[in-house]
């Protein structure tokens, strides 16, 4: 098949593009490199630098494409509260632009990387797709709005749309920006350098950490699965892990004690997140394969930023 991956030079997009190319597919990537790095991409993947709102560029890249993976986005929950207009322009406007260009180019399906963040605070766990979303950040609002555009424009324009609500993905190559870094690579870096691990709140908030290979497996399945049009599907590990438990797991992987530093007045985000994976199993044949302990060990082994320091 021929694919376009928007945001394909990023953490998840590059892992996906490389996997599709390794399976013999023709893969094109569009990324503005605001966070991505094209050197992550295998030589067989063709790379174009550009903005996801650039419709003429999308028309060119979409020629002959059967399925678009739309991953290009601004991705930080805390940062989105500082720049809501930018998050709206890229995450919502960019999705509408991709849909318009797909309509013009006659592309059959789009698989969209939505987020578990759309659930926000809920009375019950695990989080099922039938629950009413309760987004609590501009990032989460932008993902929910994009899901809405996919559904509505998909019906009008005859495009098959699938939204995967990805929970906390982690693994080798995850970016570590100076501000608002994701929790796992940030904790690993501090743990390896012997620094304190800063925890927002009491560390009892939970998340669902899913290893990159499992996320990629779900994305790959979504391109060809039957009966997924108009669907929203959770992609996680199905395991609820508190930040304190995550620190224990990192400590066990590294074989050394760690000292968390609790900053109680910091916003700790939603209190609980755990994905219900029944729909993913039914529609995508998806079951996560990599446990947190295995995923942490693989991240240390395969990510050159950590591999050296861990020796
Ligand atoms: P990432 O930042 O590594 O990847 C996003 C990519 O999009 C980057 O390469 C960036 O350069 C590119 N991009 C940003 N703005 C763009 C624009 N205007 N035009 C073209 N490209 C642009 O983040 P990631 O973790 O790989 O996330 C990929 C997707 O998965 C995002 O849509 C994100 O919201 C979603 N997601 C990620 C997670 C996670 O835990 N990592 C969880 C849920 C959903």
């Amino acid at each position: 098949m021929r694919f376009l991956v928007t945001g394909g030079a990023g953490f998840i997009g590059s892992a996906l593009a490389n996997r599709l190319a390794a399976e013999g597919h023709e893969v094109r990537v569009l990324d503005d490199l605001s966070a991505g790095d094209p050197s992550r991409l295998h030589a067989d993947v063709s790379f174009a630098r550009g903005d996801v709102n650039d419709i003429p560029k999308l028309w060119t890249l979409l020629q002959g494409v059967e399925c678009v993976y739309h991953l290009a986005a601004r991705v930080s929950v805390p940062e989105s509260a500082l720049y809501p207009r930018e998050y709206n322009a890229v995450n919502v406007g960019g999705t509408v632009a991709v849909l318009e260009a797909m309509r013009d180019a006659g592309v059959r399906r789009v698989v969209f990387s939505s987020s578990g963040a759309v659930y926000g605070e809920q009375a019950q766990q695990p989080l099922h797709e039938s629950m009413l979303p309760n987004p609590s950040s501009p990032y989460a609002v932008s993902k929910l709005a994009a899901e809405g555009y996919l559904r509505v424009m998909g019906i009008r324009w005859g495009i098959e749309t699938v939204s995967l609500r990805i929970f906390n993905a982690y693994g080798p190559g995850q970016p570590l920006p100076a501000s608002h870094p994701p929790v796992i690579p940030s904790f690993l870096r501090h743990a390896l350098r012997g620094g304190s691990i800063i925890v927002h709140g009491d560390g009892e908030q939970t998340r669902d950490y899913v290893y990159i290979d499992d996320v990629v497996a779900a994305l790959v399945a979504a391109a060809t699965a039957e009966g997924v049009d108009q669907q929203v599907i959770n992609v996680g590990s199905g395991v609820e892990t508190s930040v304190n438990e995550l620190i224990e797991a990192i400590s066990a992987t590294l074989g050394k004690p760690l000292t968390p530093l609790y900053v109680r007045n910091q916003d700790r985000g939603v209190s609980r997140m755990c994905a219900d994976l029944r729909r993913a199993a039914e529609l995508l044949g998806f079951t996560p394969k990599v446990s947190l302990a295995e995923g942490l060990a693989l991240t240390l082994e395969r990510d050159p930023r950590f591999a050296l320091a861990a020796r």
Side-chain angles (χ1 to χ4, degrees):
M1 284 174 72
R2 189 177 287 164
F3 292 96
L4 173 67
V5 184
T6 73
F11 167 51
I12 298 176
S14 59
L16 171 67
N18 289 340
R19 163 82 185 273
L20 292 169
E23 287 180 358
H25 298 291
E26 187 183 327
V27 188
R28 299 171 184 165
V29 158
L30 172 68
D31 197 300
D32 72 350
L33 300 186
S34 52
D37 175 1
S39 71
R40 294 176 173 142
L41 294 169
H42 189 274
D44 288 343
V45 174
S46 40
F47 173 73
R49 182 171 186 174
D51 194 298
V52 77
N53 275 298
D54 182 343
I55 296 227
K57 186 159 251 168
L58 285 167
W59 284 333
T60 309
L61 292 168
L62 286 173
Q63 292 312 309
V65 163
E66 291 157 273
C67 177
V68 173
Y69 283 104
H70 177 44
L71 276 63
R74 300 294 300 261
V75 302
S76 161
V77 169
E79 190 193 61
S80 73
L82 303 174
Y83 308 108
R85 196 151 43 97
E86 207 171 309
Y87 273 68
N88 186 65
V90 177
N91 297 6
V92 185
T95 302
V96 179
V98 166
L99 287 165
E100 270 189 37
M102 286 179 68
R103 171 201 59 191
D104 300 343
V107 182
R108 183 175 53 85
R109 181 177 291 193
V110 56
V111 178
F112 170 60
S113 56
S114 185
S115 169
V118 302
Y119 291 106
E121 207 62 62
Q122 296 280 343
Q124 307 231 312
Q125 298 287 329
L127 299 164
H128 189 264
E129 295 88 344
S130 60
M131 290 173 170
L132 193 64
N134 183 22
S136 59
S137 65
Y139 170 75
V141 169
S142 75
K143 288 290 173 181
L144 187 60
E147 282 184 10
Y149 274 109
L150 252 76
R151 194 176 55 250
V152 170
M153 303 329 290
I155 292 170
R156 282 177 186 263
W157 294 339
I159 300 169
E160 295 173 8
T161 64
V162 194
S163 293
L164 300 189
R165 288 183 178 164
I166 302 168
F167 281 63
N168 283 61
Y170 72 98
Q174 186 165 21
L176 248 172
S179 64
H180 314 302
V183 64
I184 289 189
S186 163
F187 282 6
L188 284 174
R189 182 178 55 182
H190 287 299
L192 289 166
R193 288 180 177 172
S196 304
I197 293 187
I198 306 224
V199 177
H200 294 175
D202 61 4
E204 286 306 303
Q205 66 272 40
T206 64
R207 295 292 179 268
D208 179 319
Y209 298 103
V210 55
Y211 188 66
I212 183 71
D213 291 1
D214 284 327
V215 176
V216 168
L219 285 161
V220 168
T224 52
E226 301 283 333
V228 292
D229 184 22
Q230 299 288 315
Q231 293 286 342
V232 168
I233 307 171
N234 288 342
V235 174
S237 67
V239 177
E240 190 175 7
T241 305
S242 72
V243 173
N244 289 327
E245 287 166 338
L246 173 64
I247 293 169
E248 279 167 31
I250 292 175
S251 165
T253 308
L254 294 174
K256 67 175 187 182
L258 300 174
T259 32
L261 195 70
Y262 294 94
V263 186
R264 308 249 169 199
N265 59 357
Q266 279 279 353
D267 178 15
R268 63 178 208 165
V270 296
S271 49
R272 294 180 66 191
M273 282 189 78
C274 181
D276 184 320
L277 297 178
R278 282 174 294 175
R279 189 177 286 179
E282 186 195 331
L283 294 179
L284 302 177
F286 172 75
T287 41
K289 304 258 183 305
V290 183
S291 69
L292 182 61
E294 288 164 343
L296 289 172
L298 286 168
T299 305
L300 281 170
E301 185 187 310
R302 293 182 181 171
D303 190 323
R305 294 170 303 177
F306 306 129
L308 268 179
R311 266 182 217 144

